[in-house]
Amino acid sequence: QVQLVESGGGLVQPGGSLSLSCAASGITFRYYAMSWHRQAPGKQRELVASITTTSLTNYADSVKGRFTISRDNAKNTVYLQMNSLKPEDTAVYSCNGKYLRNDFWGQGTQVTVSS
């Protein structure tokens, strides 16, 4: 059974930091391109950051310089370090894993940036 389980969300003040984790099981993690997405209320889901199997990274313009995606294949985990958080970063953050025709999603974790 494939599972992607996110953790690390919560409430943080503007300017603060959070670190999200997504632990994968049931897949050969090192084969999968991984990514983080977010969806705010009333908005479409958007790609936040992605990382290839060789750890090449890509970021949405809105988070460049503030967020860092990384992966640890030994732990089957992908991370998203979020710094200098803004209220507009408030959303449900979900991780995704893709390999060939396989496409898996986690259940998401809420991130709220508010004073």
Side-chain angles (χ1 to χ4, degrees):
Q1 180 182 359
V2 176
Q3 282 192 308
L4 298 180
V5 180
E6 300 96 337
S7 60
L11 173 64
V12 64
Q13 292 188 340
S17 298
L18 278 177
S19 180
L20 304 184
S21 299
C22 171
S25 60
I27 62 172
T28 306
F29 182 77
R30 65 184 183 275
Y31 291 170
Y32 280 72
M34 302 299 297
S35 56
W36 285 96
H37 302 250
R38 67 186 181 188
Q39 187 167 21
K43 294 188 176 181
Q44 287 190 330
R45 185 168 60 194
E46 62 174 347
L47 173 67
V48 175
S50 62
I51 186 166
T52 69
T53 56
T54 56
S55 294
L56 295 176
T57 59
N58 185 54
Y59 297 91
D61 287 343
S62 59
V63 307
K64 279 181 182 176
R66 300 189 297 122
F67 291 10
T68 302
I69 189 171
S70 61
R71 65 189 296 158
D72 185 337
N73 289 342
K75 295 183 178 179
N76 290 354
T77 301
V78 61
Y79 305 96
L80 186 68
Q81 177 64 40
M82 305 185 295
N83 299 327
S84 302
L85 283 161
K86 304 175 181 180
E88 51 263 43
D89 294 319
T90 295
V92 175
Y93 285 71
S94 302
C95 68
N96 172 264
K98 287 184 180 178
Y99 171 59
L100 299 179
R101 293 182 179 180
N102 299 312
D103 189 346
F104 300 114
W105 290 89
Q107 82 288 350
T109 185
Q110 177 70 45
V111 171
T112 302
V113 184
S114 175
S115 55

